[in-house]
PDB file of all heavy atoms in Angstrom:
ATOM      1  N   SER I   1     -30.390   0.353  -3.763  1.00 72.00           N
ATOM      2  CA  SER I   1     -29.503   1.348  -4.353  1.00 72.00           C
ATOM      3  C   SER I   1     -28.031   1.051  -4.086  1.00 72.00           C
ATOM      4  O   SER I   1     -27.170   1.719  -4.647  1.00 72.00           O
ATOM      5  CB  SER I   1     -29.855   2.733  -3.812  1.00 72.00           C
ATOM      6  OG  SER I   1     -29.622   2.793  -2.428  1.00 72.00           O
ATOM      7  N   ILE I   2     -27.738   0.064  -3.236  1.00 75.00           N
ATOM      8  CA  ILE I   2     -26.344  -0.204  -2.891  1.00 75.00           C
ATOM      9  C   ILE I   2     -25.551  -0.667  -4.107  1.00 75.00           C
ATOM     10  O   ILE I   2     -24.400  -0.291  -4.293  1.00 75.00           O
ATOM     11  CB  ILE I   2     -26.236  -1.225  -1.727  1.00 75.00           C
ATOM     12  CG1 ILE I   2     -24.799  -1.312  -1.204  1.00 75.00           C
ATOM     13  CG2 ILE I   2     -26.681  -2.602  -2.142  1.00 75.00           C
ATOM     14  CD1 ILE I   2     -24.453  -0.230  -0.267  1.00 75.00           C
ATOM     15  N   LYS I   3     -26.172  -1.459  -4.990  1.00 79.00           N
ATOM     16  CA  LYS I   3     -25.474  -1.930  -6.191  1.00 79.00           C
ATOM     17  C   LYS I   3     -25.106  -0.758  -7.081  1.00 79.00           C
ATOM     18  O   LYS I   3     -23.975  -0.679  -7.595  1.00 79.00           O
ATOM     19  CB  LYS I   3     -26.369  -2.919  -6.938  1.00 79.00           C
ATOM     20  CG  LYS I   3     -25.735  -3.485  -8.188  1.00 79.00           C
ATOM     21  CD  LYS I   3     -26.659  -4.478  -8.864  1.00 79.00           C
ATOM     22  CE  LYS I   3     -26.030  -4.996 -10.141  1.00 79.00           C
ATOM     23  NZ  LYS I   3     -26.929  -5.894 -10.874  1.00 79.00           N
ATOM     24  N   HIS I   4     -26.035   0.167  -7.261  1.00 80.00           N
ATOM     25  CA  HIS I   4     -25.757   1.348  -8.072  1.00 80.00           C
ATOM     26  C   HIS I   4     -24.622   2.175  -7.469  1.00 80.00           C
ATOM     27  O   HIS I   4     -23.729   2.648  -8.180  1.00 80.00           O
ATOM     28  CB  HIS I   4     -27.028   2.190  -8.186  1.00 80.00           C
ATOM     29  CG  HIS I   4     -26.805   3.523  -8.836  1.00 80.00           C
ATOM     30  ND1 HIS I   4     -26.583   4.669  -8.100  1.00 80.00           N
ATOM     31  CD2 HIS I   4     -26.744   3.885 -10.136  1.00 80.00           C
ATOM     32  CE1 HIS I   4     -26.401   5.674  -8.921  1.00 80.00           C
ATOM     33  NE2 HIS I   4     -26.508   5.232 -10.164  1.00 80.00           N
ATOM     34  N   ASP I   5     -24.640   2.354  -6.135  1.00 81.00           N
ATOM     35  CA  ASP I   5     -23.610   3.140  -5.466  1.00 81.00           C
ATOM     36  C   ASP I   5     -22.231   2.487  -5.588  1.00 81.00           C
ATOM     37  O   ASP I   5     -21.230   3.176  -5.786  1.00 81.00           O
ATOM     38  CB  ASP I   5     -23.962   3.326  -3.987  1.00 81.00           C
ATOM     39  CG  ASP I   5     -25.179   4.206  -3.798  1.00 81.00           C
ATOM     40  OD1 ASP I   5     -25.620   4.845  -4.771  1.00 81.00           O
ATOM     41  OD2 ASP I   5     -25.705   4.252  -2.666  1.00 81.00           O
ATOM     42  N   VAL I   6     -22.184   1.152  -5.450  1.00 82.00           N
ATOM     43  CA  VAL I   6     -20.901   0.439  -5.574  1.00 82.00           C
ATOM     44  C   VAL I   6     -20.338   0.614  -6.983  1.00 82.00           C
ATOM     45  O   VAL I   6     -19.149   0.926  -7.165  1.00 82.00           O
ATOM     46  CB  VAL I   6     -21.077  -1.060  -5.229  1.00 82.00           C
ATOM     47  CG1 VAL I   6     -19.847  -1.852  -5.633  1.00 82.00           C
ATOM     48  CG2 VAL I   6     -21.349  -1.235  -3.744  1.00 82.00           C
ATOM     49  N   ILE I   7     -21.182   0.448  -7.990  1.00 86.00           N
ATOM     50  CA  ILE I   7     -20.718   0.579  -9.382  1.00 86.00           C
ATOM     51  C   ILE I   7     -20.209   1.986  -9.650  1.00 86.00           C
ATOM     52  O   ILE I   7     -19.137   2.179 -10.234  1.00 86.00           O
ATOM     53  CB  ILE I   7     -21.857   0.197 -10.359  1.00 86.00           C
ATOM     54  CG1 ILE I   7     -22.138  -1.302 -10.266  1.00 86.00           C
ATOM     55  CG2 ILE I   7     -21.504   0.585 -11.790  1.00 86.00           C
ATOM     56  CD1 ILE I   7     -23.381  -1.754 -11.011  1.00 86.00           C
ATOM     57  N   LEU I   8     -20.956   2.991  -9.200  1.00 85.00           N
ATOM     58  CA  LEU I   8     -20.561   4.377  -9.442  1.00 85.00           C
ATOM     59  C   LEU I   8     -19.271   4.727  -8.704  1.00 85.00           C
ATOM     60  O   LEU I   8     -18.390   5.400  -9.253  1.00 85.00           O
ATOM     61  CB  LEU I   8     -21.683   5.323  -9.018  1.00 85.00           C
ATOM     62  CG  LEU I   8     -21.502   6.782  -9.414  1.00 85.00           C
ATOM     63  CD1 LEU I   8     -21.501   6.918 -10.929  1.00 85.00           C
ATOM     64  CD2 LEU I   8     -22.598   7.635  -8.829  1.00 85.00           C
ATOM     65  N   THR I   9     -19.125   4.239  -7.471  1.00 84.00           N
ATOM     66  CA  THR I   9     -17.918   4.523  -6.696  1.00 84.00           C
ATOM     67  C   THR I   9     -16.699   3.857  -7.314  1.00 84.00           C
ATOM     68  O   THR I   9     -15.631   4.479  -7.421  1.00 84.00           O
ATOM     69  CB  THR I   9     -18.104   4.060  -5.238  1.00 84.00           C
ATOM     70  OG1 THR I   9     -19.262   4.688  -4.692  1.00 84.00           O
ATOM     71  CG2 THR I   9     -16.899   4.419  -4.400  1.00 84.00           C
ATOM     72  N   ILE I  10     -16.839   2.595  -7.730  1.00 87.00           N
ATOM     73  CA  ILE I  10     -15.717   1.898  -8.380  1.00 87.00           C
ATOM     74  C   ILE I  10     -15.339   2.591  -9.685  1.00 87.00           C
ATOM     75  O   ILE I  10     -14.154   2.756  -9.995  1.00 87.00           O
ATOM     76  CB  ILE I  10     -16.060   0.412  -8.597  1.00 87.00           C
ATOM     77  CG1 ILE I  10     -16.113  -0.309  -7.252  1.00 87.00           C
ATOM     78  CG2 ILE I  10     -15.054  -0.253  -9.526  1.00 87.00           C
ATOM     79  CD1 ILE I  10     -16.570  -1.742  -7.329  1.00 87.00           C
ATOM     80  N   ARG I  11     -16.322   3.041 -10.433  1.00 89.00           N
ATOM     81  CA  ARG I  11     -16.050   3.750 -11.688  1.00 89.00           C
ATOM     82  C   ARG I  11     -15.264   5.035 -11.416  1.00 89.00           C
ATOM     83  O   ARG I  11     -14.301   5.358 -12.123  1.00 89.00           O
ATOM     84  CB  ARG I  11     -17.357   4.067 -12.409  1.00 89.00           C
ATOM     85  CG  ARG I  11     -17.147   4.689 -13.777  1.00 89.00           C
ATOM     86  CD  ARG I  11     -18.458   5.101 -14.411  1.00 89.00           C
ATOM     87  NE  ARG I  11     -19.391   3.993 -14.454  1.00 89.00           N
ATOM     88  CZ  ARG I  11     -20.706   4.142 -14.585  1.00 89.00           C
ATOM     89  NH1 ARG I  11     -21.241   5.340 -14.661  1.00 89.00           N
ATOM     90  NH2 ARG I  11     -21.490   3.093 -14.637  1.00 89.00           N
ATOM     91  N   THR I  12     -15.656   5.755 -10.378  1.00 86.00           N
ATOM     92  CA  THR I  12     -14.948   6.995 -10.023  1.00 86.00           C
ATOM     93  C   THR I  12     -13.505   6.708  -9.606  1.00 86.00           C
ATOM     94  O   THR I  12     -12.584   7.429  -9.984  1.00 86.00           O
ATOM     95  CB  THR I  12     -15.693   7.717  -8.877  1.00 86.00           C
ATOM     96  OG1 THR I  12     -17.052   7.936  -9.263  1.00 86.00           O
ATOM     97  CG2 THR I  12     -15.044   9.042  -8.556  1.00 86.00           C
ATOM     98  N   ILE I  13     -13.306   5.629  -8.835  1.00 85.00           N
ATOM     99  CA  ILE I  13     -11.952   5.253  -8.426  1.00 85.00           C
ATOM    100  C   ILE I  13     -11.098   4.900  -9.643  1.00 85.00           C
ATOM    101  O   ILE I  13      -9.927   5.300  -9.742  1.00 85.00           O
ATOM    102  CB  ILE I  13     -11.996   4.073  -7.429  1.00 85.00           C
ATOM    103  CG1 ILE I  13     -12.608   4.526  -6.109  1.00 85.00           C
ATOM    104  CG2 ILE I  13     -10.607   3.493  -7.195  1.00 85.00           C
ATOM    105  CD1 ILE I  13     -12.901   3.401  -5.141  1.00 85.00           C
ATOM    106  N   LEU I  14     -11.669   4.155 -10.591  1.00 88.00           N
ATOM    107  CA  LEU I  14     -10.923   3.774 -11.805  1.00 88.00           C
ATOM    108  C   LEU I  14     -10.555   4.993 -12.641  1.00 88.00           C
ATOM    109  O   LEU I  14      -9.471   5.048 -13.229  1.00 88.00           O
ATOM    110  CB  LEU I  14     -11.743   2.784 -12.635  1.00 88.00           C
ATOM    111  CG  LEU I  14     -11.921   1.392 -12.006  1.00 88.00           C
ATOM    112  CD1 LEU I  14     -12.837   0.524 -12.874  1.00 88.00           C
ATOM    113  CD2 LEU I  14     -10.570   0.716 -11.799  1.00 88.00           C
ATOM    114  N   ILE I  15     -11.447   5.975 -12.690  1.00 90.00           N
ATOM    115  CA  ILE I  15     -11.135   7.202 -13.428  1.00 90.00           C
ATOM    116  C   ILE I  15     -10.005   7.972 -12.746  1.00 90.00           C
ATOM    117  O   ILE I  15      -9.133   8.547 -13.403  1.00 90.00           O
ATOM    118  CB  ILE I  15     -12.402   8.086 -13.564  1.00 90.00           C
ATOM    119  CG1 ILE I  15     -13.412   7.418 -14.501  1.00 90.00           C
ATOM    120  CG2 ILE I  15     -12.053   9.480 -14.077  1.00 90.00           C
ATOM    121  CD1 ILE I  15     -14.769   8.081 -14.517  1.00 90.00           C
ATOM    122  N   ALA I  16      -9.985   7.975 -11.407  1.00 86.00           N
ATOM    123  CA  ALA I  16      -8.974   8.734 -10.667  1.00 86.00           C
ATOM    124  C   ALA I  16      -7.623   8.032 -10.595  1.00 86.00           C
ATOM    125  O   ALA I  16      -6.594   8.682 -10.393  1.00 86.00           O
ATOM    126  CB  ALA I  16      -9.477   9.003  -9.252  1.00 86.00           C
ATOM    127  N   THR I  17      -7.591   6.707 -10.788  1.00 87.00           N
ATOM    128  CA  THR I  17      -6.354   5.938 -10.626  1.00 87.00           C
ATOM    129  C   THR I  17      -5.202   6.421 -11.508  1.00 87.00           C
ATOM    130  O   THR I  17      -4.069   6.565 -11.019  1.00 87.00           O
ATOM    131  CB  THR I  17      -6.629   4.438 -10.862  1.00 87.00           C
ATOM    132  OG1 THR I  17      -7.574   3.995  -9.889  1.00 87.00           O
ATOM    133  CG2 THR I  17      -5.355   3.622 -10.726  1.00 87.00           C
ATOM    134  N   PRO I  18      -5.400   6.687 -12.809  1.00 89.00           N
ATOM    135  CA  PRO I  18      -4.265   7.169 -13.622  1.00 89.00           C
ATOM    136  C   PRO I  18      -3.645   8.456 -13.085  1.00 89.00           C
ATOM    137  O   PRO I  18      -2.424   8.629 -13.127  1.00 89.00           O
ATOM    138  CB  PRO I  18      -4.887   7.400 -15.008  1.00 89.00           C
ATOM    139  CG  PRO I  18      -6.087   6.532 -15.038  1.00 89.00           C
ATOM    140  CD  PRO I  18      -6.597   6.474 -13.638  1.00 89.00           C
ATOM    141  N   PHE I  19      -4.457   9.354 -12.542  1.00 88.00           N
ATOM    142  CA  PHE I  19      -3.919  10.607 -12.001  1.00 88.00           C
ATOM    143  C   PHE I  19      -3.066  10.331 -10.764  1.00 88.00           C
ATOM    144  O   PHE I  19      -2.016  10.954 -10.575  1.00 88.00           O
ATOM    145  CB  PHE I  19      -5.063  11.576 -11.671  1.00 88.00           C
ATOM    146  CG  PHE I  19      -5.848  11.979 -12.877  1.00 88.00           C
ATOM    147  CD1 PHE I  19      -7.106  11.441 -13.112  1.00 88.00           C
ATOM    148  CD2 PHE I  19      -5.333  12.877 -13.797  1.00 88.00           C
ATOM    149  CE1 PHE I  19      -7.829  11.796 -14.228  1.00 88.00           C
ATOM    150  CE2 PHE I  19      -6.051  13.250 -14.920  1.00 88.00           C
ATOM    151  CZ  PHE I  19      -7.304  12.710 -15.134  1.00 88.00           C
ATOM    152  N   PHE I  20      -3.502   9.386  -9.915  1.00 84.00           N
ATOM    153  CA  PHE I  20      -2.699   9.026  -8.749  1.00 84.00           C
ATOM    154  C   PHE I  20      -1.377   8.403  -9.169  1.00 84.00           C
ATOM    155  O   PHE I  20      -0.337   8.653  -8.566  1.00 84.00           O
ATOM    156  CB  PHE I  20      -3.472   8.068  -7.834  1.00 84.00           C
ATOM    157  CG  PHE I  20      -4.558   8.725  -7.055  1.00 84.00           C
ATOM    158  CD1 PHE I  20      -5.868   8.340  -7.204  1.00 84.00           C
ATOM    159  CD2 PHE I  20      -4.272   9.753  -6.174  1.00 84.00           C
ATOM    160  CE1 PHE I  20      -6.882   8.952  -6.480  1.00 84.00           C
ATOM    161  CE2 PHE I  20      -5.265  10.377  -5.440  1.00 84.00           C
ATOM    162  CZ  PHE I  20      -6.578   9.979  -5.604  1.00 84.00           C
ATOM    163  N   LEU I  21      -1.403   7.567 -10.201  1.00 87.00           N
ATOM    164  CA  LEU I  21      -0.160   6.937 -10.682  1.00 87.00           C
ATOM    165  C   LEU I  21       0.805   7.983 -11.234  1.00 87.00           C
ATOM    166  O   LEU I  21       2.013   7.922 -10.987  1.00 87.00           O
ATOM    167  CB  LEU I  21      -0.489   5.891 -11.752  1.00 87.00           C
ATOM    168  CG  LEU I  21      -1.199   4.631 -11.249  1.00 87.00           C
ATOM    169  CD1 LEU I  21      -1.578   3.731 -12.418  1.00 87.00           C
ATOM    170  CD2 LEU I  21      -0.331   3.881 -10.252  1.00 87.00           C
ATOM    171  N   ILE I  22       0.277   8.961 -11.982  1.00 88.00           N
ATOM    172  CA  ILE I  22       1.129  10.027 -12.516  1.00 88.00           C
ATOM    173  C   ILE I  22       1.753  10.831 -11.386  1.00 88.00           C
ATOM    174  O   ILE I  22       2.953  11.134 -11.403  1.00 88.00           O
ATOM    175  CB  ILE I  22       0.310  10.932 -13.469  1.00 88.00           C
ATOM    176  CG1 ILE I  22      -0.019  10.169 -14.758  1.00 88.00           C
ATOM    177  CG2 ILE I  22       1.071  12.219 -13.799  1.00 88.00           C
ATOM    178  CD1 ILE I  22      -1.024  10.861 -15.647  1.00 88.00           C
ATOM    179  N   LEU I  23       0.958  11.173 -10.371  1.00 84.00           N
ATOM    180  CA  LEU I  23       1.498  11.906  -9.223  1.00 84.00           C
ATOM    181  C   LEU I  23       2.546  11.077  -8.484  1.00 84.00           C
ATOM    182  O   LEU I  23       3.582  11.601  -8.056  1.00 84.00           O
ATOM    183  CB  LEU I  23       0.365  12.284  -8.264  1.00 84.00           C
ATOM    184  CG  LEU I  23      -0.526  13.439  -8.697  1.00 84.00           C
ATOM    185  CD1 LEU I  23      -1.687  13.599  -7.737  1.00 84.00           C
ATOM    186  CD2 LEU I  23       0.265  14.734  -8.776  1.00 84.00           C
ATOM    187  N   PHE I  24       2.292   9.763  -8.344  1.00 81.00           N
ATOM    188  CA  PHE I  24       3.239   8.897  -7.639  1.00 81.00           C
ATOM    189  C   PHE I  24       4.581   8.832  -8.383  1.00 81.00           C
ATOM    190  O   PHE I  24       5.653   8.835  -7.769  1.00 81.00           O
ATOM    191  CB  PHE I  24       2.652   7.496  -7.498  1.00 81.00           C
ATOM    192  CG  PHE I  24       3.584   6.524  -6.830  1.00 81.00           C
ATOM    193  CD1 PHE I  24       3.766   6.569  -5.455  1.00 81.00           C
ATOM    194  CD2 PHE I  24       4.282   5.583  -7.568  1.00 81.00           C
ATOM    195  CE1 PHE I  24       4.624   5.674  -4.830  1.00 81.00           C
ATOM    196  CE2 PHE I  24       5.143   4.687  -6.948  1.00 81.00           C
ATOM    197  CZ  PHE I  24       5.312   4.734  -5.584  1.00 81.00           C
ATOM    198  N   ILE I  25       4.531   8.768  -9.689  1.00 84.00           N
ATOM    199  CA  ILE I  25       5.763   8.624 -10.477  1.00 84.00           C
ATOM    200  C   ILE I  25       6.529   9.937 -10.579  1.00 84.00           C
ATOM    201  O   ILE I  25       7.752   9.973 -10.438  1.00 84.00           O
ATOM    202  CB  ILE I  25       5.426   8.081 -11.886  1.00 84.00           C
ATOM    203  CG1 ILE I  25       4.904   6.646 -11.769  1.00 84.00           C
ATOM    204  CG2 ILE I  25       6.647   8.137 -12.803  1.00 84.00           C
ATOM    205  CD1 ILE I  25       4.320   6.093 -13.052  1.00 84.00           C
ATOM    206  N   PHE I  26       5.827  11.060 -10.803  1.00 81.00           N
ATOM    207  CA  PHE I  26       6.510  12.312 -11.128  1.00 81.00           C
ATOM    208  C   PHE I  26       6.629  13.304  -9.981  1.00 81.00           C
ATOM    209  O   PHE I  26       7.392  14.247 -10.074  1.00 81.00           O
ATOM    210  CB  PHE I  26       5.794  12.998 -12.307  1.00 81.00           C
ATOM    211  CG  PHE I  26       5.900  12.214 -13.580  1.00 81.00           C
ATOM    212  CD1 PHE I  26       4.789  11.572 -14.093  1.00 81.00           C
ATOM    213  CD2 PHE I  26       7.110  12.078 -14.244  1.00 81.00           C
ATOM    214  CE1 PHE I  26       4.875  10.831 -15.257  1.00 81.00           C
ATOM    215  CE2 PHE I  26       7.208  11.341 -15.413  1.00 81.00           C
ATOM    216  CZ  PHE I  26       6.090  10.707 -15.919  1.00 81.00           C
ATOM    217  N   PHE I  27       5.883  13.089  -8.895  1.00 78.00           N
ATOM    218  CA  PHE I  27       5.972  14.031  -7.781  1.00 78.00           C
ATOM    219  C   PHE I  27       7.253  13.763  -7.010  1.00 78.00           C
ATOM    220  O   PHE I  27       7.583  12.612  -6.732  1.00 78.00           O
ATOM    221  CB  PHE I  27       4.751  13.889  -6.863  1.00 78.00           C
ATOM    222  CG  PHE I  27       4.543  15.067  -5.965  1.00 78.00           C
ATOM    223  CD1 PHE I  27       3.956  16.222  -6.445  1.00 78.00           C
ATOM    224  CD2 PHE I  27       4.952  15.039  -4.640  1.00 78.00           C
ATOM    225  CE1 PHE I  27       3.753  17.319  -5.627  1.00 78.00           C
ATOM    226  CE2 PHE I  27       4.765  16.127  -3.808  1.00 78.00           C
ATOM    227  CZ  PHE I  27       4.166  17.271  -4.313  1.00 78.00           C
ATOM    228  N   PRO I  28       8.023  14.817  -6.640  1.00 74.00           N
ATOM    229  CA  PRO I  28       9.290  14.572  -5.920  1.00 74.00           C
ATOM    230  C   PRO I  28       9.043  13.945  -4.552  1.00 74.00           C
ATOM    231  O   PRO I  28       8.045  14.219  -3.891  1.00 74.00           O
ATOM    232  CB  PRO I  28       9.881  15.983  -5.768  1.00 74.00           C
ATOM    233  CG  PRO I  28       8.737  16.907  -5.941  1.00 74.00           C
ATOM    234  CD  PRO I  28       7.768  16.241  -6.864  1.00 74.00           C
ATOM    235  N   ARG I  29       9.964  13.074  -4.146  1.00 72.00           N
ATOM    236  CA  ARG I  29       9.833  12.380  -2.877  1.00 72.00           C
ATOM    237  C   ARG I  29      10.602  13.123  -1.791  1.00 72.00           C
ATOM    238  O   ARG I  29      11.777  13.429  -1.942  1.00 72.00           O
ATOM    239  CB  ARG I  29      10.352  10.958  -3.006  1.00 72.00           C
ATOM    240  CG  ARG I  29       9.530  10.209  -4.066  1.00 72.00           C
ATOM    241  CD  ARG I  29       9.505   8.790  -3.899  1.00 72.00           C
ATOM    242  NE  ARG I  29       8.709   7.985  -4.762  1.00 72.00           N
ATOM    243  CZ  ARG I  29       8.429   8.104  -6.029  1.00 72.00           C
ATOM    244  NH1 ARG I  29       8.849   9.129  -6.710  1.00 72.00           N
ATOM    245  NH2 ARG I  29       7.709   7.211  -6.646  1.00 72.00           N
ATOM    246  N   PHE I  30       9.914  13.382  -0.693  1.00 71.00           N
ATOM    247  CA  PHE I  30      10.524  14.069   0.432  1.00 71.00           C
ATOM    248  C   PHE I  30      10.737  13.066   1.557  1.00 71.00           C
ATOM    249  O   PHE I  30      10.020  12.068   1.664  1.00 71.00           O
ATOM    250  CB  PHE I  30       9.612  15.202   0.934  1.00 71.00           C
ATOM    251  CG  PHE I  30       9.354  16.258  -0.107  1.00 71.00           C
ATOM    252  CD1 PHE I  30       8.112  16.347  -0.718  1.00 71.00           C
ATOM    253  CD2 PHE I  30      10.346  17.139  -0.486  1.00 71.00           C
ATOM    254  CE1 PHE I  30       7.865  17.301  -1.686  1.00 71.00           C
ATOM    255  CE2 PHE I  30      10.114  18.100  -1.449  1.00 71.00           C
ATOM    256  CZ  PHE I  30       8.871  18.184  -2.052  1.00 71.00           C
ATOM    257  N   PRO I  31      11.707  13.313   2.434  1.00 71.00           N
ATOM    258  CA  PRO I  31      11.873  12.410   3.590  1.00 71.00           C
ATOM    259  C   PRO I  31      10.651  12.508   4.501  1.00 71.00           C
ATOM    260  O   PRO I  31       9.965  13.532   4.520  1.00 71.00           O
ATOM    261  CB  PRO I  31      13.132  12.943   4.283  1.00 71.00           C
ATOM    262  CG  PRO I  31      13.280  14.346   3.813  1.00 71.00           C
ATOM    263  CD  PRO I  31      12.692  14.394   2.437  1.00 71.00           C
ATOM    264  N   PRO I  32      10.341  11.448   5.246  1.00 67.00           N
ATOM    265  CA  PRO I  32       9.148  11.472   6.103  1.00 67.00           C
ATOM    266  C   PRO I  32       9.253  12.542   7.187  1.00 67.00           C
ATOM    267  O   PRO I  32      10.334  12.810   7.708  1.00 67.00           O
ATOM    268  CB  PRO I  32       9.108  10.070   6.699  1.00 67.00           C
ATOM    269  CG  PRO I  32      10.487   9.545   6.562  1.00 67.00           C
ATOM    270  CD  PRO I  32      11.073  10.188   5.347  1.00 67.00           C
ATOM    271  N   LEU I  33       8.100  13.144   7.513  1.00 63.00           N
ATOM    272  CA  LEU I  33       8.076  14.158   8.563  1.00 63.00           C
ATOM    273  C   LEU I  33       8.177  13.521   9.940  1.00 63.00           C
ATOM    274  O   LEU I  33       8.537  14.171  10.907  1.00 63.00           O
ATOM    275  CB  LEU I  33       6.785  14.980   8.459  1.00 63.00           C
ATOM    276  CG  LEU I  33       6.606  15.743   7.145  1.00 63.00           C
ATOM    277  CD1 LEU I  33       5.246  16.422   7.120  1.00 63.00           C
ATOM    278  CD2 LEU I  33       7.715  16.775   6.970  1.00 63.00           C
ATOM    279  N   TRP I  34       7.832  12.260  10.041  1.00 65.00           N
ATOM    280  CA  TRP I  34       7.927  11.518  11.303  1.00 65.00           C
ATOM    281  C   TRP I  34       8.099  10.045  10.945  1.00 65.00           C
ATOM    282  O   TRP I  34       7.918   9.647   9.814  1.00 65.00           O
ATOM    283  CB  TRP I  34       6.696  11.724  12.176  1.00 65.00           C
ATOM    284  CG  TRP I  34       5.461  11.118  11.605  1.00 65.00           C
ATOM    285  CD1 TRP I  34       5.003   9.852  11.776  1.00 65.00           C
ATOM    286  CD2 TRP I  34       4.529  11.752  10.728  1.00 65.00           C
ATOM    287  NE1 TRP I  34       3.852   9.656  11.064  1.00 65.00           N
ATOM    288  CE2 TRP I  34       3.529  10.805  10.408  1.00 65.00           C
ATOM    289  CE3 TRP I  34       4.431  13.032  10.171  1.00 65.00           C
ATOM    290  CZ2 TRP I  34       2.462  11.094   9.573  1.00 65.00           C
ATOM    291  CZ3 TRP I  34       3.361  13.317   9.345  1.00 65.00           C
ATOM    292  CH2 TRP I  34       2.395  12.350   9.064  1.00 65.00           C
ATOM    293  N   HIS I  35       8.471   9.236  11.913  1.00 63.00           N
ATOM    294  CA  HIS I  35       8.536   7.805  11.658  1.00 63.00           C
ATOM    295  C   HIS I  35       7.679   7.080  12.686  1.00 63.00           C
ATOM    296  O   HIS I  35       7.474   7.571  13.796  1.00 63.00           O
ATOM    297  CB  HIS I  35       9.983   7.295  11.667  1.00 63.00           C
ATOM    298  CG  HIS I  35      10.540   7.056  13.040  1.00 63.00           C
ATOM    299  ND1 HIS I  35      11.003   8.070  13.846  1.00 63.00           N
ATOM    300  CD2 HIS I  35      10.687   5.916  13.749  1.00 63.00           C
ATOM    301  CE1 HIS I  35      11.424   7.568  14.992  1.00 63.00           C
ATOM    302  NE2 HIS I  35      11.240   6.271  14.970  1.00 63.00           N
ATOM    303  N   VAL I  36       7.173   5.925  12.271  1.00 62.00           N
ATOM    304  CA  VAL I  36       6.317   5.124  13.147  1.00 62.00           C
ATOM    305  C   VAL I  36       7.206   4.235  14.005  1.00 62.00           C
ATOM    306  O   VAL I  36       8.034   3.488  13.470  1.00 62.00           O
ATOM    307  CB  VAL I  36       5.344   4.253  12.319  1.00 62.00           C
ATOM    308  CG1 VAL I  36       4.520   3.371  13.230  1.00 62.00           C
ATOM    309  CG2 VAL I  36       4.456   5.135  11.470  1.00 62.00           C
ATOM    310  N   PRO I  37       7.087   4.294  15.334  1.00 61.00           N
ATOM    311  CA  PRO I  37       7.930   3.442  16.187  1.00 61.00           C
ATOM    312  C   PRO I  37       7.494   1.983  16.100  1.00 61.00           C
ATOM    313  O   PRO I  37       6.370   1.648  16.449  1.00 61.00           O
ATOM    314  CB  PRO I  37       7.698   4.012  17.590  1.00 61.00           C
ATOM    315  CG  PRO I  37       6.359   4.664  17.517  1.00 61.00           C
ATOM    316  CD  PRO I  37       6.191   5.150  16.107  1.00 61.00           C
TER     317      PRO I  37
END
C-alpha cells in the first residue's frame, strides 16, 4: 500500500501548492517575532 499512499499524498500536495503560492504572494509580510542566533 506504500505506493498508493505516496501517489495520493503527492497528489494532495500538488493540489494544495497553488493555494500556498497565492498566500505567499498576497499575504502581508510581518517582521519576525524572534530571530535565530
